[in-house]
Amino acid sequence: GAGVSQSPSNKVTEKGKDVELRCDPISGHTALYWYRQSLGQGLEFLIYFQGNSAPDKSGLPSDRFSAERTGGSVSTLTIQRTQQEDSAVYLCASSKGGGGQPQHFGDGTRLSIL
Amino acid sequence: GIQVEQSPPDLILQEGANSTLRCNFSDSVNNLQWFHQNPWGQLINLFYIPSGTKQNGRLSATTVATERYSLLYISSSQTTDSGVYFCAAYSGGSNYKLTFGKGTLLTVNP
């Protein structure tokens, strides 16, 4: 597609449920990033993929968070046993490569935990 | 890691006014981007500008890498310019992450 596509755009779920967020990067972009924007924390980095590999997972806030990327394209971010503090906008970005290439962001998934 | 500071935190303008937003960063950068987050939450790329000067319509940006700052100029502001402007930088490291400033909230009144 022309831009980074994320789904769903909004997700409301009950505390304790698992959620899966999807990101479809710009075609041909090998690098993919997940960020989170919450009221108290601003925009924070979660994880980076080069191809299907994530060399550094230290940005994930807890072991309830995991991410994968398959076929060098679509990525999913999974949050298990959701907590209210997980409520945030989850943003995905992609770039042609790493090393400082410009990142292009999707519209985000607004996650609300009741 | 790199620190990114933006000023001012808030700015209120009358339509037609000009403004300058500043971004200071603590280390040399490989990537510096300016974004506009509109009231619907969309993060719009404005400039990729690790150094030099660029212009796009009423907006322009300058990064002086040696002095570790970047400026975003908005001329003849319009109400649609309202929103939060973020500066984000990458200075090295294997995860290529952008570190964001806290943003400047711009309100343009008619």
Side-chain angles (χ1 to χ4, degrees):
Chain A
V4 177
S5 178
Q6 292 187 246
S7 62
S9 54
N10 287 282
K11 177 72 176 178
V12 180
T13 192
E14 293 179 347
K15 175 182 171 181
K17 300 286 189 183
D18 297 352
V19 295
E20 194 171 274
L21 312 180
R22 176 188 168 103
C23 173
D24 199 345
I26 294 171
S27 178
H29 281 194
T30 59
L32 185 146
Y33 313 80
W34 284 98
Y35 294 82
R36 178 170 73 171
Q37 186 175 25
S38 51
L39 280 176
Q41 302 297 321
L43 271 148
E44 58 176 330
F45 168 82
L46 298 179
I47 193 167
Y48 152 72
F49 286 91
Q50 180 60 47
N52 294 333
S53 299
D56 182 357
K57 299 182 180 180
S58 62
L60 295 175
S62 78
D63 58 8
R64 296 184 295 103
F65 287 71
S66 63
E68 66 174 12
R69 189 179 185 195
T70 55
S73 181
V74 172
S75 175
T76 55
L77 177 69
T78 301
I79 309 173
Q80 295 179 310
R81 304 181 304 281
T82 52
Q83 303 293 312
Q84 288 188 332
E85 62 262 28
D86 300 334
S87 295
V89 177
Y90 290 82
L91 291 158
C92 176
S94 70
S95 65
K96 284 185 180 179
Q101 292 292 311
Q103 297 182 23
H104 303 267
F105 283 77
D107 289 346
T109 293
R110 185 175 300 275
L111 178 63
S112 299
I113 309 299
L114 302 178
Chain B
I2 190 170
Q3 306 296 312
V4 178
E5 294 183 356
Q6 292 186 241
S7 60
D10 303 276
L11 186 58
I12 300 174
L13 300 175
Q14 286 299 121
E15 201 167 23
N18 302 329
S19 61
T20 300
L21 281 57
R22 186 176 180 102
C23 172
N24 291 333
F25 42 91
S26 61
D27 204 347
S28 58
V29 295
N30 300 100
N31 177 2
L32 188 131
Q33 293 182 245
W34 282 97
F35 298 91
H36 174 215
Q37 189 165 44
N38 62 25
W40 297 270
Q42 295 172 315
L43 205 58
I44 310 298
N45 266 313
L46 296 178
F47 294 102
Y48 168 74
I49 189 164
S51 64
T53 298
K54 291 186 178 179
Q55 181 157 7
N56 184 4
R58 296 180 296 103
L59 273 59
S60 63
T62 295
T63 297
V64 183
T66 53
E67 297 188 21
R68 299 184 182 171
Y69 72 88
S70 183
L71 302 174
L72 177 69
Y73 304 97
I74 304 174
S75 64
S76 304
S77 57
Q78 301 176 357
T79 56
T80 52
D81 294 332
S82 295
V84 183
Y85 289 80
F86 288 104
C87 169
Y90 161 69
S91 67
S94 60
N95 60 23
Y96 305 130
K97 71 174 186 180
L98 286 174
T99 298
F100 283 78
K102 293 185 177 180
T104 293
L105 174 59
L106 176 65
T107 303
V108 181
N109 292 320

